[in-house]
Amino acid sequence: MDTLTLPVVGMTCASCSVRVQRALEKTPGVTRASVNLMLENASLTFDGAALTPTDLVKVIEQTGYGSSLPSPHHSALDEQAAQDRAQEEEYREVRRKAVVSLGAAGLGMLLSMPLMRAPQGDAGHGHAVAPADPFLAWSHRTIDPWLSGALPWLYAIAPAVLSWVLFAMTAAVMAWAGRHFYVRAWKAFRHHAADMNTLVAVGTGAAFAYSTMAIVVPDLLSSRGVAPDVYFEAVLFIIALILVGNTFEARAKRQTSAALRALADLQPATARVLRDGVEVEVPVDAVTVGDIIVVRPGERIPVDGTILDGRSSLDESMLTGESLPVDKRAGDPVFSGTINGTGAFRFRAEHVGADSALQRIARMMRDAQGSRAPIQALADKVSAVFVPVVLSLAIATFAGWVVIAGEGSMLQAFATAVAVLIIACPCAMGLAVPTALMVATGRGAAHGILIKGGEALQRAGALTTVVLDKTGTVTEGRPAVTDIVVAADAGIDADALLARAASLEADSEHPLANAIVRAARERGLTVSQARDFRSITGRGAAGWVDDEHLVIGNAALLEEEGLAAGALAADAARIADLGRTPMFVARTGDAPRLLGIIAVADPIKATSREAIGRLRAMGLDVVMLTGDNQRTAQVIAREAGIDRVVAGVLPEGKVAEVARLQAEGHVVAMVGDGINDAPALARADVGLAIGTGTDIAIEAADVTLMRGDLAGVPMAIALSRRTMATMKQNLFWAFVYNVVGVPIAAGLLYPAAGILLSPILASAAMAFSSVSVVANSLRLRAARLA
């Protein structure tokens, strides 16, 4: 299956994104489609043999929106920079239109005031002013007396002249500032669909058409008992207020992607490269793998690589969230975007362009922000039927007013129906979930927490149990040899035992094996090359060292070889009670013999106990899994503050333990860092990989913790809980806004309280609802996670 992200241009509300997504999902060959209103893109998984990217662009265009093929040379940061430029341009454009429209609406309101005093039969709506309309009643009561005293000449102008001036102003504003509403509504209509633009276009278009008739053919309306009033100022205010709302919305939306923008800013534009022994400053895109790069104090690292010579302290907080500088010397890795301290060094470029850590993080964030949380499905279902329902309600409102209040209320019925159309725009529903998701993923990245998508974020908020792998997760993962016990009849000394064990383990990548090899080399012992080395998963290793076939491992392996611990059993128990891992070394074959014990200790990370305490304070059960024996595991767990331990677990046993907890009804998170943790990370409801672990573990996980400790686990869960709460708040207020606003706009309160809502106030309320949802999501940037 192929994956692709395409831009979708022209979406304005949840109905738009739902329509595009459904069209893509129905396309044969597409297995997954996720359309994001905030990012204005579609993330697709499809069969490349059945479809081409060009076919998918056509599908989007057939729904009435724009799209294009992405450049194959653009990185995630390039895409973000391009999106930032587009958003900035869009923000400036809509702000310019809002300012001009607002000025025109204010002038239109002044010109309309004399019309309210116009005699019956002239164009105006003085006789149609409803005391229950808060806005018109206020302006008639407050502005009119002041204006007539300050500008008496304005009231001397003929009503017909004022009406034609208003007509010209309104037509100009609709054609320039509001043009996109009508163009997009027409496109939606051509594709048998309706969206937010439909509601705005129908509402303002009807008001404009009626007002135009009132000044062109007033007698035709009067002869049918309908007053020839004009509502040009209402059209101007509706367009202006919606554009003002769009301006605030565009500005707030830009802030939701601030984290990605900050990542893009971290990428240096140039690098100082050694070419033929001379330092040359080249664009960072020109750096290739193998180049030698010179870094001076205070500079940012341009690409990933390994230090050749020199030393310094680097600020890697953009990668890990850890504020303390990290000491670096020859042989240590450096990452693009990090900041060099006061030292200087040279390093060899190893990962450039899209392969760098910075670019990979940016890609993960964009993918996460482009994903959909399951809770979004609720908003999608409502949005899919919302606009047609609102159109029906507006028609029913108009008919209801005419039937109940009589033909004399035709104008009020018309204004009320327009108010229903305007107030019901479903913008807030479309923004409720994606804005919170974007802010949350950005906030997580700032703390070194990379979340793959909205589904993982939502699941993390429902966790009940956290399962921790011991080695490298709870502990440092860098064990050291602490005890060497030689069997009385082994016929060798401690160094000989350690040398044999190190020779056998030299080909192993297991942390315990590395500790033994390191200890032997520190003592200056000779480490030979073993033959027929065989790793025995979960038990130890076996192979030939010189003329001896040796095994090294736990008590289970010893039993499998038919050997007894004998007098060393007490030593093994004593060592285990100290929290160390005893490993038996034995000779097998023709003359089997237990040679001794080598013990290794892996200290607990400094932050593990505090992090585990926080998890328990959050009401979560904490379980530790380890391949160690029960005694050692209990000591480590007690020191870390964990009550529940499952010891002697093989890699497949980790998967089984996670599955067993899930079968008991727990929602389980698995935290690990090794290759052998990958199956359990994938099996858990939420897999969290320690960033210092392997790429395989990170690939299998839903969340990557860039810091090499557990501190990010409670932070990630707290972020998930706060995000889910924010999403629910957003959806609640978006739904309540429409559930309450539409009936009030339709006149539900008029019989009892005499309250009506003018189209102007309805447009202001609609704009406020979208801005309030985005503002509520932005609160996540300051949410307390620690």
Side-chain angles (χ1 to χ4, degrees):
M1 287 292 169
D2 296 332
T3 60
L4 179 68
T5 299
L6 292 173
V8 183
V9 180
M11 294 190 298
T12 53
C13 66
S15 300
C16 304
S17 58
V18 169
R19 189 161 79 249
V20 177
Q21 178 157 326
R22 288 188 173 179
L24 291 169
E25 288 174 340
K26 290 179 181 177
T27 304
V30 174
T31 57
R32 189 188 68 84
S34 176
V35 178
N36 190 297
L37 175 63
M38 286 289 296
L39 293 176
E40 297 181 340
N41 64 21
S43 300
L44 299 156
T45 303
F46 63 100
D47 182 359
L51 281 170
T52 67
T54 303
D55 296 330
L56 295 168
V57 168
K58 290 180 181 177
V59 171
I60 294 174
E61 290 175 341
Q62 285 170 359
T63 61
Y65 302 93
S67 186
S68 59
L69 293 176
S71 169
H73 305 296
H74 279 190
S75 67
L77 293 181
D78 291 335
E79 292 174 8
Q80 182 59 38
Q83 183 174 326
D84 289 344
R85 289 193 295 271
Q87 287 186 337
E88 180 65 25
E89 185 178 343
E90 178 189 359
Y91 168 68
R92 292 179 184 278
E93 177 69 13
V94 72
R95 184 180 61 179
R96 183 165 54 250
K97 288 182 176 180
V99 170
V100 173
S101 300
L102 206 56
L107 179 59
M109 190 68 203
L110 293 179
L111 297 179
S112 297
M113 296 309 296
L115 295 179
M116 294 184 182
R117 296 184 177 186
Q120 184 76 25
D122 283 335
H125 48 53
H127 43 279
V129 173
D133 186 318
F135 184 78
L136 291 180
W138 170 81
S139 60
H140 193 62
R141 182 176 61 252
T142 306
I143 297 179
D144 183 63
W146 170 81
L147 190 65
S148 60
L151 303 174
W153 56 268
L154 181 63
Y155 285 72
I157 299 176
V161 174
L162 291 173
S163 298
W164 278 107
V165 172
L166 281 168
F167 166 82
M169 286 176 54
T170 307
V173 169
M174 293 174 73
W176 175 66
R179 180 175 180 274
H180 60 285
F181 295 130
Y182 308 104
V183 171
R184 292 171 182 174
W186 173 246
K187 287 184 177 178
F189 175 75
R190 288 177 59 196
H191 292 87
H192 311 291
D195 56 18
M196 180 203 97
N197 300 295
T198 305
L199 300 179
V200 175
V202 171
T204 57
F208 180 78
Y210 176 84
S211 301
T212 303
M213 288 181 63
I215 60 174
V216 175
V217 286
D219 295 339
L220 179 64
L221 297 179
S222 300
S223 64
R224 285 163 173 76
V226 179
D229 298 334
V230 297
Y231 285 90
F232 291 123
E233 87 287 352
V235 176
L236 290 170
F237 263 110
I238 289 171
I239 292 176
L241 289 174
I242 291 176
L243 288 173
V244 168
N246 291 160
T247 303
F248 285 119
E249 188 180 304
R251 184 178 181 181
K253 282 163 66 177
R254 290 181 70 247
Q255 297 177 39
T256 62
S257 59
L260 261 172
R261 193 173 302 111
L263 276 183
D265 292 340
L266 292 175
Q267 178 73 66
T270 61
R272 190 174 293 105
V273 181
L274 282 180
R275 297 276 167 81
D276 299 326
V278 179
E279 292 184 16
V280 181
E281 190 161 331
V282 301
V284 71
D285 293 340
V287 177
T288 59
V289 174
D291 278 343
I292 308 301
I293 299 173
V294 179
V295 180
R296 292 175 179 167
E299 292 182 341
R300 286 193 184 276
I301 311 301
V303 297
D304 296 357
T306 300
I307 295 178
L308 297 174
D309 54 62
R311 59 184 303 171
S312 186
S313 294
L314 268 62
D315 177 359
E316 295 186 338
S317 58
M318 48 71 61
L319 283 177
T320 65
E322 175 58 65
S323 58
L324 295 177
V326 181
D327 290 334
K328 298 281 184 176
R329 62 184 66 189
D332 288 338
V334 293
F335 303 99
S336 62
T338 57
I339 305 172
N340 182 30
T342 56
F345 58 87
R346 299 188 308 164
F347 74 96
R348 185 188 305 278
E350 294 175 344
H351 300 286
V352 301
D355 292 333
S356 71
L358 186 65
Q359 294 278 4
R360 291 171 63 189
I361 291 173
R363 172 60 60 192
M364 286 183 68
M365 284 185 63
R366 284 187 64 84
D367 290 347
Q369 294 182 343
S371 66
R372 299 169 70 85
I375 195 173
Q376 176 74 45
L378 175 62
D380 290 348
K381 289 180 181 177
V382 176
S383 300
V385 299
F386 192 77
V387 174
V389 169
V390 169
L391 287 170
S392 302
L393 283 175
I395 295 172
T397 299
F398 180 83
W401 270 88
V402 172
V403 171
I404 296 174
E407 292 191 358
S409 64
M410 187 74 75
L411 286 178
Q412 190 58 64
F414 175 74
T416 305
V418 171
V420 169
L421 290 172
I422 299 301
I423 202 171
C425 289
C427 307
M429 274 188 284
L431 298 172
V433 174
T435 53
L437 179 62
M438 288 186 67
V439 177
T441 50
R443 180 77 193 283
H447 289 277
I449 303 168
L450 301 182
I451 303 168
K452 276 191 176 175
E455 188 173 352
L457 189 70
Q458 182 166 338
R459 286 200 305 266
L463 291 173
T464 61
T465 303
V466 177
V467 178
L468 306 174
D469 171 56
K470 182 181 79 69
T471 303
T473 302
V474 177
T475 63
E476 292 284 358
R478 289 181 57 84
V481 173
T482 57
D483 304 82
I484 300 177
V485 181
V486 181
D489 57 351
I492 57 175
D493 60 12
D495 283 351
L497 178 66
L498 181 60
R500 282 173 166 79
S503 298
L504 176 60
E505 296 279 35
D507 289 335
S508 173
E509 293 184 355
H510 196 283
L512 300 184
N514 294 337
I516 293 173
V517 175
R518 190 166 58 249
R521 287 177 173 156
E522 287 173 355
R523 294 191 183 198
L525 304 176
T526 301
V527 178
S528 306
Q529 179 67 47
R531 306 191 312 277
D532 299 331
F533 172 80
R534 181 165 55 94
S535 175
I536 306 172
T537 304
R539 295 178 180 81
W544 288 90
V545 175
D546 297 330
D547 296 330
E548 293 181 314
H549 186 266
L550 301 177
V551 296
I552 181 169
N554 56 22
L557 179 61
L558 201 65
E559 291 179 8
E560 288 179 5
E561 296 296 334
L563 295 170
L568 293 183
D571 292 298
R574 175 183 55 79
I575 291 170
D577 286 343
L578 295 174
R580 301 165 185 171
T581 302
M583 290 180 290
F584 296 96
V585 183
R587 180 174 62 228
T588 60
D590 296 336
R593 182 179 299 279
L594 179 61
L595 300 178
I597 296 174
I598 296 178
V600 173
D602 186 8
I604 291 178
K605 292 177 181 175
T607 55
S608 290
R609 186 173 180 84
E610 181 183 351
I612 290 167
R614 288 193 56 213
L615 290 172
R616 298 182 64 177
M618 295 168 74
L620 296 161
D621 293 331
V622 181
V623 180
M624 187 179 80
L625 299 184
T626 176
D628 270 344
N629 63 69
Q630 188 68 33
R631 287 191 176 196
T632 302
Q634 288 290 356
V635 174
I636 297 294
R638 189 164 53 250
E639 189 178 343
I642 301 173
D643 294 332
R644 193 172 173 185
V645 178
V646 182
V649 181
L650 301 177
E652 56 270 29
K654 294 180 180 179
V655 178
E657 182 62 22
V658 170
R660 188 185 66 76
L661 289 167
Q662 290 173 323
E664 291 177 356
H666 297 281
V667 183
V668 181
M670 174 72 198
V671 187
D673 73 325
I675 293 175
N676 59 9
D677 297 324
L681 289 170
R683 179 68 177 84
D685 296 290
V686 179
L688 297 100
I690 299 291
T692 52
T694 65
D695 286 346
I696 293 177
I698 294 174
E699 187 65 29
D702 302 299
V703 180
T704 299
L705 308 174
M706 299 302 290
R707 289 176 57 173
D709 59 29
L710 289 175
V713 178
M715 199 175 290
I717 296 173
L719 177 63
S720 171
R721 291 180 175 180
R722 292 298 299 265
T723 304
M724 288 309 302
T726 300
M727 288 179 179
K728 290 175 182 175
Q729 291 167 3
N730 287 348
L731 287 174
F732 173 79
W733 287 113
F735 285 129
V736 165
Y737 160 78
N738 283 294
V739 168
V740 174
V742 171
I744 292 178
L748 184 67
L749 299 180
Y750 185 73
I755 295 176
L756 280 175
L757 203 61
S758 75
I760 296 173
L761 287 182
S763 61
M766 190 277 279
F768 173 77
S769 69
S770 298
V771 175
S772 65
V773 162
V774 179
N776 190 47
S777 297
L778 288 174
R779 290 172 61 235
L780 282 170
R781 297 197 302 180
R784 184 176 179 182
L785 304 178

